[in-house]
């Protein structure tokens, strides 16, 4: 089936749908005090737990100097805490503060409320299909990144 907005390929149509969904979810943001980059780092700390700045940079797929700036700004906002590394005095462990956890809760609640309303409009069969799609998305996202030649588009 050809989409009037995508390029007609599964990869193009899926990519466009994901971008549009992300944009709609971002529009539900409650706390404009933190940037999307900062929010992503907070979510990673929330889901993965305390970690070093280097591990956080790797998880966010950014260079360590960029993450250093993100961590500094989140620390200035009181959203994270830096604690000494238990075995390496040159390192620190970054963890969420109570206000960082609160931001995550507010952001999640706003997005989930909007998405839950949209999901209620679907049939049970459509919701089951989306549940399967979530499993497939997670399978794709959990695979290591590799370069794929552009000619192999689906």
């Amino acid at each position: 089936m050809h989409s009037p907005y995508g390029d007609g390929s599964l990869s193009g149509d899926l990519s466009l749908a994901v971008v549009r969904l992300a944009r709609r979810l971002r529009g539900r943001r409650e706390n404009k005090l933190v940037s999307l980059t900062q929010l992503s780092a907070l979510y990673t700390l929330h889901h993965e737990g305390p970690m070093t700045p280097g591990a956080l940079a790797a998880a966010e797929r950014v260079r360590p100097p960029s993450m250093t700036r993100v961590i500094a700004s989140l620390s200035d906002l009181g959203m994270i805490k830096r604690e000494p590394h238990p075995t390496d005095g040159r390192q620190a462990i970054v963890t969420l503060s109570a206000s960082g956890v609160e931001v995550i809760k507010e952001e999640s609640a706003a997005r989930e409320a909007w998405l839950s309303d949209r999901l209620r409009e679907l049939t049970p069969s459509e919701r089951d299909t989306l549940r399967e799609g979530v499993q497939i998305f997670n399978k794709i996202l959990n695979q290591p990144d590799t370069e794929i030649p552009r000619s192999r588009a689906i």
Side-chain angles (χ1 to χ4, degrees):
M1 180 172 123
H2 180 70
S3 167
Y5 303 109
D7 66 6
S9 70
L10 177 58
S11 58
D13 292 346
L14 180 60
S15 178
L16 182 60
V18 168
V19 166
R20 287 182 171 167
L21 176 60
R23 187 178 302 138
R24 297 288 294 271
L25 291 173
R26 279 193 310 267
R28 303 297 174 262
R29 293 195 59 216
E30 292 286 317
N31 185 324
K32 307 289 192 211
L33 182 63
V34 295
S35 70
L36 292 173
T37 300
Q38 293 167 321
L39 186 61
S40 182
L42 291 174
Y43 268 105
T44 296
L45 289 170
H46 181 72
H47 291 289
E48 303 295 327
M51 60 181 66
T52 65
L56 184 55
E60 290 293 300
R61 297 177 187 228
V62 299
R63 296 189 186 279
S66 297
M67 186 52 64
T68 298
R69 289 189 293 277
V70 171
I71 290 169
S73 63
L74 288 171
S75 180
D76 290 346
L77 292 169
M79 307 257 173
I80 60 154
K81 299 180 285 186
R82 289 183 253 194
E83 300 170 350
H85 193 283
T87 60
D88 185 348
R90 301 167 296 166
Q91 296 257 14
I93 299 292
V94 180
T95 186
L96 285 177
S97 68
S99 61
V101 171
E102 188 60 31
V103 166
I104 293 296
K105 287 180 182 178
E106 290 170 0
E107 293 289 332
S108 294
R111 288 195 285 222
E112 287 178 22
W114 177 84
L115 194 51
S116 290
D117 288 344
R118 302 296 76 73
L119 293 173
R120 275 192 287 280
E121 297 168 0
L122 301 177
T123 67
S125 176
E126 289 170 327
R127 286 191 296 272
D128 288 343
T129 299
L130 282 176
R131 279 188 192 92
E132 291 175 23
V134 168
Q135 293 174 350
I136 295 168
F137 272 121
N138 286 330
K139 180 178 179 179
I140 291 169
L141 294 171
N142 289 326
Q143 294 174 356
D145 282 343
T146 55
E147 287 297 316
I148 298 173
R150 291 188 185 273
S151 63
R152 291 188 51 202
I154 298 173

